[in-house]
């Protein structure tokens, strides 16, 4: 009996070990990431071998199903017809070197300041391959990117960047350098991009594939335009390429500069091409502004003359703003929030983050126009749509200190809805009883805080 029990125990132990082994076995891409972590200077020689049908299928399924089509006019659903055969053909062409991307369809989207931003929409097959390549390269570069880089990286959202900036301002920040790279995505130098890629990628076929997308050209007004610089915004691979470029051109240099040149504390938060730096001393801020312009100039980039500025900000800004000839400290916008120096009831410094006026006004103008279009729609349908809009707004702008901004947006939305109902009923004004009845039957979502302060809490500090 003991022998049989011992045999059963050994069998169970082997089953457990076998099960644990299956669970802990890393995938090919995970092994790539592990190697990048252990050997920080290693150059990867055979990355294109990971571009196979299973990965391409995973990339296809991760794409947005309602995205606009490229120059091929093919939607996500249409490409899915005979998907396996399409992906097999794509895999074969990539490994033979016969794959050639189609030009990117260029469209323009409005910005909050009234200007328009160019957006590139690749063909769907190109999107699939770009997404697959991004899945191969991300484990390599995520181990190399700096901690203050937050743009378009997994697990590093805009609110992570905002929280990091809030914590930095609450420490020893007395000066802010707000830097904006002028037309970064349009001026990205292809030759420098190739050099930066070759720092970690020794697979020439992979580098050649990446450069094909940069040289694919742009189709605008039925005409194909060749491009000598830039990376089209809107493609799956573009954010990763931008981060790689800025990692070598900016992030590593800034990190080394603050260790060797700065006399005081220097804090950095970068989201894509928007950079905010906090300095303890004015001297460091002025030196960085000049050095940064010179550094970016080496790579064909320049700082935006209007959006790049240096100013006093932090817990002592309220006391010393008179030295700059100001009645109150300067404010600045970052990721849709206006950052304001304030005080709490005890007189301690407090950072306020309010919804940017430009962002709010642009969104309200868009919603008013949509409400006019929905003027005769059923009330329940309009209520559900407005609640979805409010939910998205509160999920992004619902931060501590922005309660007034949330309620202002909510009241503007409610007023715009009532105004369309008055025009629909050909009345000068809805009665109070009618408004109360609408509020009771079709209530709008109330503002709420969805992003409290991070664990490393930004505490109020004495002035």
């Amino acid at each position: 009996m003991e022998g049989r029990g011992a045999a059963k125990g050994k069998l169970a132990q082997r089953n457990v070990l076998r099960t644990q082994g299956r669970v802990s076995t890393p995938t090919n891409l995970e092994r790539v990431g592990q190697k990048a972590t252990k050997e920080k200077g290693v150059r990867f020689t055979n990355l294109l071998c990971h571009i196979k049908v299973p990965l391409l299928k995973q990339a296809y399924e991760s794409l947005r199903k309602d995205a606009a089509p490229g120059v091929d006019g093919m939607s996500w659903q249409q490409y899915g017809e005979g998907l396996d055969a399409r992906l097999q053909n794509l895999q074969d062409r990539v490994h033979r070197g016969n794959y050639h991307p189609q030009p990117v369809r260029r469209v323009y989207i409005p910005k909050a300041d009234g200007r328009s931003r160019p957006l590139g929409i690749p063909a769907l097959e190109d999107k699939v391959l770009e997404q697959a390549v991004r899945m191969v390269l991300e484990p390599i570069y995520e181990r190399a990117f700096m901690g203050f880089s937050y743009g378009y990286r997994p697990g590093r959202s805009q609110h992570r960047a905002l929280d990091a900036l809030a914590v930095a301002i609450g420490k020893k920040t007395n000066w802010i350098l707000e830097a904006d790279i002028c037309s970064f995505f349009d001026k990205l130098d292809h030759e420098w991009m190739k050099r930066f890629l070759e720092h970690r990628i020794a697979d020439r076929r992979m580098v050649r594939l990446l450069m094909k997308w940069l040289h694919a050209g742009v189709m605008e007004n039925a005409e194909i335009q060749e491009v000598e610089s830039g990376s089209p915004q809107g493609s799956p691979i573009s954010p990763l390429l931008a981060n790689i470029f800025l990692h070598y051109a900016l992030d590593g240099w800034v990190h080394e500069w603050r260790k060797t040149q700065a006399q005081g504390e220097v804090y950095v938060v970068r989201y894509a091409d928007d950079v905010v730096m906090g300095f303890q001393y004015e001297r460091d801020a002025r030196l960085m502004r000049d050095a940064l312009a010179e550094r970016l100039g080496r790579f064909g980039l320049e700082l935006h003359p209007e959006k790049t500025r240096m100013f006093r900000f932090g817990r002592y800004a309220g006391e010393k703003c008179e030295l700059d000839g100001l009645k109150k400290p300067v404010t600045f916008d970052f990721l849709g929030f206006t950052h304001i120096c304030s005080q709490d009831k005890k007189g301690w410094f407090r950072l306020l983050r309010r919804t940017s006026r430009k962002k709010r006004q642009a969104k309200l103008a868009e919603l008013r126009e949509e409400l006019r279009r929905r003027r005769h729609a059923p009330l329940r349908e309009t209520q559900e749509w407005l609640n979805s809009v409010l939910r998205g707004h509160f999920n992004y702008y619902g931060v501590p200190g922005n309660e007034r901004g949330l309620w202002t947006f909510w009241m503007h939305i409610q007023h715009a809805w009532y105004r369309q109902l008055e025009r629909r009923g050909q009345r000068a004004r809805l009665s109070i009883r009618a408004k109360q009845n609408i509020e009771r039957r079709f209530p709008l979502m109330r503002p709420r805080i969805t992003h409290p302060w991070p664990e490393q809490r930004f505490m109020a500090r004495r002035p």
Side-chain angles (χ1 to χ4, degrees):
M1 296 293 292
E2 291 181 0
R4 184 181 300 175
K8 289 183 177 180
K10 292 180 180 179
L11 179 61
Q13 186 177 6
R14 285 199 300 270
N15 290 337
V16 170
L17 293 175
R18 189 183 300 116
T19 303
Q20 291 177 346
R22 285 199 301 266
V23 173
S24 61
T25 300
T27 65
N28 292 336
L29 298 185
E30 288 174 346
R31 284 196 291 268
V32 170
Q34 292 172 0
K35 185 175 182 179
T37 303
K38 294 178 181 179
E39 306 175 35
K40 295 185 178 181
V42 68
R43 299 178 70 219
F44 292 85
T45 58
N46 192 14
L47 293 175
L48 204 66
C49 68
H50 298 290
I51 305 300
K52 299 290 182 64
V53 171
L55 183 64
L56 292 171
K57 191 170 186 178
Q58 185 179 351
Y60 165 77
E61 292 173 350
S62 66
L63 296 176
R64 283 184 53 185
K65 299 176 178 57
D66 58 345
V71 296
D72 58 349
M74 184 171 292
S75 66
W76 187 89
Q77 292 78 8
Q78 291 173 331
Y79 192 85
E81 299 174 2
L83 179 63
D84 293 337
R86 291 180 188 273
L87 297 182
Q88 184 65 49
N89 178 266
L90 177 59
Q91 171 193 299
D92 295 341
R93 285 186 287 126
V94 168
H95 289 279
R96 289 197 309 265
N98 293 338
Y99 164 79
H100 299 285
Q102 301 184 59
V104 174
R105 183 170 71 91
R106 173 168 288 176
V107 297
Y108 293 89
I109 57 175
K111 298 175 64 175
D113 56 4
R115 296 180 298 173
S116 59
R117 181 194 302 275
L119 188 69
I121 304 177
L124 198 114
E125 181 181 72
D126 298 333
K127 283 185 183 179
V128 172
L129 185 55
E130 288 184 18
Q131 181 69 1
V133 171
R134 179 178 179 176
M135 295 165 67
V136 172
L137 297 183
E138 266 187 351
I140 298 174
Y141 287 101
E142 277 300 310
R143 272 70 175 182
F145 289 156
M146 295 293 176
F148 55 76
S149 169
Y150 289 89
Y152 308 108
R153 294 178 56 190
R156 302 182 70 81
S157 64
Q158 292 165 303
H159 287 96
R160 292 285 186 91
L162 290 165
D163 289 342
L165 180 60
V167 171
I169 291 174
K171 291 182 178 180
K172 297 182 180 181
T173 295
N174 295 315
W175 290 85
I176 288 288
L177 175 61
E178 185 184 10
D180 182 89
I181 303 175
C182 184
S183 302
F184 168 71
F185 284 92
D186 296 331
K187 296 181 179 180
L188 188 146
D189 188 274
H190 290 174
E191 186 60 33
W192 277 112
M193 185 76 256
K194 183 180 179 181
R195 295 184 190 180
F196 293 152
L197 290 170
E198 290 174 346
H199 277 301
R200 298 303 301 272
I201 304 176
D203 187 344
R204 294 183 179 180
R205 297 181 303 166
M206 177 62 77
V207 175
R208 191 181 303 117
L209 176 61
L210 292 167
M211 298 308 296
K212 280 183 178 181
W213 287 321
L214 294 179
H215 296 142
V218 173
M219 178 171 285
E220 186 175 0
N221 298 326
E223 295 183 1
I224 298 179
Q225 304 173 5
E226 296 183 359
V227 293
E228 298 179 357
S229 63
S231 176
Q233 298 185 64
S235 63
I237 199 65
S238 181
L240 178 60
L241 293 179
N243 276 328
I244 294 173
F245 193 98
L246 290 175
H247 171 73
Y248 289 103
L250 178 65
D251 296 351
W253 173 81
V254 168
H255 182 62
E256 187 65 23
W257 189 95
R258 66 180 179 180
K259 290 194 302 182
T260 58
Q261 303 294 324
Q263 293 183 351
E265 295 293 327
V266 179
Y267 309 100
V268 186
V269 176
R270 179 178 69 81
Y271 193 93
D273 56 340
D274 293 330
V275 186
V276 176
M277 301 183 187
F279 298 87
Q280 184 178 1
Y281 300 126
E282 179 183 4
R283 174 252 183 201
D284 293 339
R286 295 191 181 278
L287 288 178
M288 169 56 77
R289 183 176 59 183
D290 297 336
L292 182 61
E294 181 181 353
R295 173 70 179 181
L296 293 177
R298 292 181 55 189
F299 305 100
L301 302 174
E302 60 180 348
L303 294 174
H304 198 289
E306 298 177 359
K307 297 182 180 180
T308 300
R309 55 183 182 144
M310 190 191 80
F311 49 89
R312 197 186 303 272
F313 198 91
R315 49 182 164 169
Y316 301 114
E319 300 175 4
K320 299 182 178 181
C321 63
E322 295 181 358
L323 300 176
D324 304 324
L326 302 173
K327 294 183 179 179
K328 59 182 180 179
V330 177
T331 64
F332 70 96
D333 289 354
F334 183 62
L335 297 181
F337 288 90
T338 300
H339 292 65
I340 306 169
C341 289
S342 182
Q343 293 181 349
D344 63 7
K345 295 180 180 179
K346 296 182 180 180
W348 293 10
F349 170 71
R350 180 189 180 194
L351 174 67
L352 290 183
R353 298 178 294 181
R354 297 279 172 80
T355 306
S356 170
R357 179 177 297 179
K358 289 183 180 179
K359 297 287 186 181
R360 183 176 66 246
Q361 291 179 345
K363 187 63 176 179
L364 287 173
E366 177 186 340
L367 293 176
R368 290 190 184 102
E369 184 62 32
E370 182 63 19
L371 279 171
R372 291 190 192 99
R373 195 182 68 81
R374 294 173 177 261
R375 179 182 298 168
H376 298 285
L379 293 183
R380 181 67 65 188
E381 179 182 323
T382 304
Q383 178 218 15
E384 293 175 354
W385 169 70
L386 285 175
N387 278 335
S388 67
V389 171
L390 291 170
R391 185 180 299 108
H393 186 85
F394 300 154
N395 283 342
Y396 185 80
Y397 291 102
V399 300
N402 195 29
E403 292 84 356
R404 189 173 70 180
L406 299 181
W407 278 107
T408 299
F409 185 81
W410 184 90
M411 287 187 291
H412 277 292
I413 290 295
Q414 187 184 56
H415 176 76
W417 191 20
Y418 288 165
R419 178 60 180 160
Q420 293 307 316
L421 292 179
E422 289 168 349
R423 293 178 65 86
R424 167 178 168 173
Q426 298 182 359
R427 297 180 180 180
R429 181 175 298 179
L430 288 174
S431 65
I432 296 179
R433 179 172 296 181
K435 292 181 180 179
Q436 291 175 345
N437 188 37
I438 294 173
E439 291 178 9
R440 178 177 57 82
R441 296 182 58 193
F442 308 101
L444 296 181
M445 176 181 290
R446 301 284 173 152
R448 57 193 179 93
I449 300 299
T450 55
H451 297 280
W453 291 115
E455 293 182 3
Q456 188 178 357
R457 184 176 295 272
F458 170 65
M459 302 297 292
R461 296 179 179 270
R462 293 184 182 278

